[in-house]
Structure formats: structure tokens, C-alpha cells
Amino acid sequence: MNKRHWSFLLGGLLVALLLAGVVSNYASSHPDGLDSSLLKGCTVNADDEITGGSCPAQQAKDHELADSPLADYGVRGIGNDFVSTGLSGVLGVLLTFAVGGGLFWLARRRTPATSAAPANSAASADPADEAAQSTGTR
């Protein structure tokens, strides 16, 4: 890869790290997607705890990885929520970048080398020329 490709790749990585490390802290703490649709039919208090009604969220259980080091968009053991969320985003980007880069490296190494067509090849880019050559007219 030449220098231009490396600078583009590193620039994209830096933008992703900035978004994951800083901007992710300003995401809504009350997203309106799946979580809110699961609460339809229930009443909730200010702390988003179900106080009554009937909804699918009442059957929710903790995930098997709820005790993992990066659970709930944070890093366990870090008391500052801003730093914890930012660090978990940065770690996620770096892990994704490493796994993706490794897979691309493996795919590139496994692809068989293709031989380039010689410069004086009779192949033509124009289909009409190929048809004329095969019929002997030009």
C-alpha cells in the first residue's frame, strides 16, 4: 500500500476513534427504538422502572454477558461515566479495526496471483472489433 492509502486509512481510524471516544457520550440515554416499543402497555416512573400495566419488557432477563468488562456501553471499574463510555467506544473501534484488518490481510494473502495479459494481446476492449476479427472483416 502506498502512502496515500495509509493516510486515508489512518484518517478514517482517527475519525472513528473521535466519534467513539467523545461524541458517543452525547447520544440519547433514552433511545426510541426497540426499548420504547417493548414498554408499550406499561407505565414507568422517572427512573424507567415498570410500575404497572402489561408489556413485553416485563419478561426481559439480563444478558449472559451482562457481567463482562464492556457491558452497558462502559468499562467496569471506571467510576467516571464520560471516561468509561468513551474508553469502551475506543476499545470497540480498535478491536473492530484489528479483526477487520486481520481478515482483509488473510483474504489478500490467500487470493491466488493473477497474471496480467501481455501488452501485445489480440484482446480488444471494443466488442465490435472482436466480432470483425472473428469474421475476417474490418
Side-chain angles (χ1 to χ4, degrees):
M1 251 185 355
N2 64 24
K3 185 177 179 180
R4 185 173 179 189
H5 289 115
W6 279 111
S7 61
F8 179 76
L9 190 65
L10 290 177
L13 179 61
L14 288 176
V15 168
L17 288 171
L18 179 69
L19 290 172
V22 179
V23 178
S24 64
N25 283 292
Y26 299 103
S28 173
S29 60
H30 300 289
D32 61 349
L34 181 61
D35 291 338
S36 67
S37 67
L38 291 176
L39 289 172
K40 290 197 187 288
C42 284
T43 54
V44 293
N45 62 13
D47 295 326
D48 288 332
E49 296 170 351
I50 299 172
T51 58
S54 176
C55 63
Q58 290 172 320
Q59 286 80 34
K61 297 180 178 113
D62 277 341
H63 191 273
E64 294 173 2
L65 299 176
D67 294 329
S68 68
L70 296 176
D72 291 332
Y73 304 106
V75 177
R76 176 174 292 123
I78 297 181
N80 184 331
D81 286 341
F82 189 88
V83 173
S84 177
T85 300
L87 185 58
S88 72
V90 166
L91 290 173
V93 166
L94 291 175
L95 181 64
T96 302
F97 184 78
V99 169
L103 290 174
F104 277 111
W105 180 78
L106 283 173
R108 189 184 86 184
R109 303 256 313 156
R110 290 183 163 263
T111 304
T114 58
S115 61
N120 60 358
S121 169
S124 171
D126 187 6
D129 286 345
E130 290 178 13
Q133 286 177 356
S134 66
T135 60
T137 60
R138 225 177 219 241

